[in-house]
Structure formats: C-alpha cells, structure tokens
Amino acid sequence: METYVDATGVDTTATTRTETTGKQNIKKLKVMVAMDESKNSFYALEWAVEHLRDVISAEPETDQPGGLLTLVHVHPTYLQYIYPSGGTASAVYATDSVPESMKKAREESTAKLFTRSLEICRGKMVKTETMILEGDPKEMICQAVEQTHVDLLVVGSRGLGMIKRAFLGSVSDYCAQHAKCPILIVRPPRETSTSSKEHKSK
C-alpha cells in the first residue's frame, strides 16, 4: 500500500486504533525512515515524528510495549577501480589509501546525519535505533524492511523530473513496488517549491 502526504495533508491510514472500555487504545508500530543528506529526507523524518508520534512513542508508565522508530542509511558500494584516460589501458585497482580516506569521510558524514536526525527525535518520547547498510539504497532498504518486520516505511520524495526519474530511477518508486509493508512517501512543503520558482523569476 502506497500513500502520499504533504505539508497540508495528514494521512491517518498508518494509525490503527481499537476502542476498549470506552477509551481508545493505540496500537504501537515499528516505523522505519530512510535517511540521507537531502532536505526532503529530514523533512520526512520531522513529519513522521510529529504526525506518527502516538503510534511510535514509548510507554514508560505502562506495561504496554512502545513503538520503535528505525533510522536507516545506506552507503552505496564503492567501485575501487581507476579507468585511465585514452581508453587503451585496462582498469586497475585504486590504492588502499583512497578508499580509506573516502571511508573516513563517509563515516564522519554519517555521524553528522544521525546526530541531526536524533536531535529531531529528542524529547518526543520515541525509542529510536539507527541502522547503517551498504549496497544499492533501493534494494537494501527493502531488505531491511523485510528482515526487521516493520509496520510502515517512510521515505521522502526527491521531486525528480520525469526525465531524471526515467534514467536515474527513484528510491521511493522502487520501495513502493517492492517493500513488504505499507509505504508513506512524504512530499516537501508546497511553499518551498513556490518560493523557489518566484526566486528564479526575479
């Protein structure tokens, strides 16, 4: 099941409520948010923490199990080859120093990403875990969904044009087709795209 929401729309299909003894009990969910360095990714996390707070919040004062928010980030696999210009020589392996330096930079970038992400979750009474994977982001996110048995996957919409979507593909499109759980695709705020067009016209 695929659901789209934006800044002005709130979708409630992810919230399951059952009424018992005259009051509503909210079923807690395991929610996964796919994270990268894009603004849309962080907006999707902010949306999830704000609008899904009831289903992912912890329950420290009751015996009921709380929800769980999993932040997953995927490192694309490195291609450790050097292709000489000219086209006549064969490809050779890169030296170890290059991947190591890139690995260090990647680790620092990921640490900053999760620091910022966890700051968004702080104070919301949400039990949060982080997950770092390596491979093709689209495939690894779907694998993580299946292996961890999450109830809902949240991803940000990158807003690719039709041509870019055709050539580059879309993580959200792929996950909507292959993820073994409902997926919520959070579009960026409408005012952002509007203000961007106004700025370009000036």
Side-chain angles (χ1 to χ4, degrees), residues 147-158:
Q147 293 172 1
T148 57
H149 307 288
V150 299
D151 300 298
L152 177 69
L153 172 64
V154 179
V155 297
S157 173
R158 298 298 296 271

Side-chain angles (χ1 to χ4, degrees), residues 71-98:
L71 308 179
V72 60
H73 177 63
V74 182
H75 293 155
T77 304
Y78 279 133
L79 297 178
Q80 299 183 26
Y81 295 94
I82 296 177
Y83 293 90
S85 59
T88 56
S90 301
V92 297
Y93 282 104
T95 62
D96 292 339
S97 60
V98 175

Side-chain angles (χ1 to χ4, degrees), residues 35-177:
M35 297 299 302
D36 59 23
E37 292 83 2
S38 68
K39 293 181 179 179
N40 290 353
S41 175
F42 283 100
Y43 178 76
L45 174 60
E46 292 172 349
W47 194 98
V49 171
E50 181 65 27
H51 294 90
L52 302 178
R53 181 167 49 188
D54 288 344
V55 297
I56 59 177
S57 60
E59 298 291 343
E61 298 179 356
T62 69
D63 295 331
Q64 297 180 357
L68 177 64
L69 179 64
T70 301
L71 308 179
V72 60
H73 177 63
V74 182
H75 293 155
T77 304
Y78 279 133
L79 297 178
Q80 299 183 26
Y81 295 94
I82 296 177
Y83 293 90
S85 59
T88 56
S90 301
V92 297
Y93 282 104
T95 62
D96 292 339
S97 60
V98 175
E100 284 299 322
S101 62
M102 294 177 68
K103 181 180 178 180
K104 182 178 180 180
R106 184 174 67 177
E107 290 175 349
E108 293 176 351
S109 175
T110 301
K112 292 180 180 179
L113 183 149
F114 279 137
T115 296
R116 180 180 173 187
S117 301
L118 293 173
E119 187 65 30
I120 294 174
C121 303
R122 194 182 306 277
K124 301 293 184 180
M125 296 297 293
V126 175
K127 182 180 179 181
T128 308
E129 67 176 12
T130 59
M131 180 183 299
I132 303 174
L133 304 173
E134 184 169 334
D136 183 279
K138 301 186 294 292
E139 296 179 357
M140 296 309 297
I141 290 171
C142 289
Q143 287 183 25
V145 164
E146 187 171 2
Q147 293 172 1
T148 57
H149 307 288
V150 299
D151 300 298
L152 177 69
L153 172 64
V154 179
V155 297
S157 173
R158 298 298 296 271
L160 297 176
M162 294 182 63
I163 296 178
K164 286 186 177 181
R165 290 174 77 92
F167 283 96
L168 301 179
S170 165
V171 171
S172 59
D173 286 348
Y174 184 92
C175 290
Q177 296 295 324

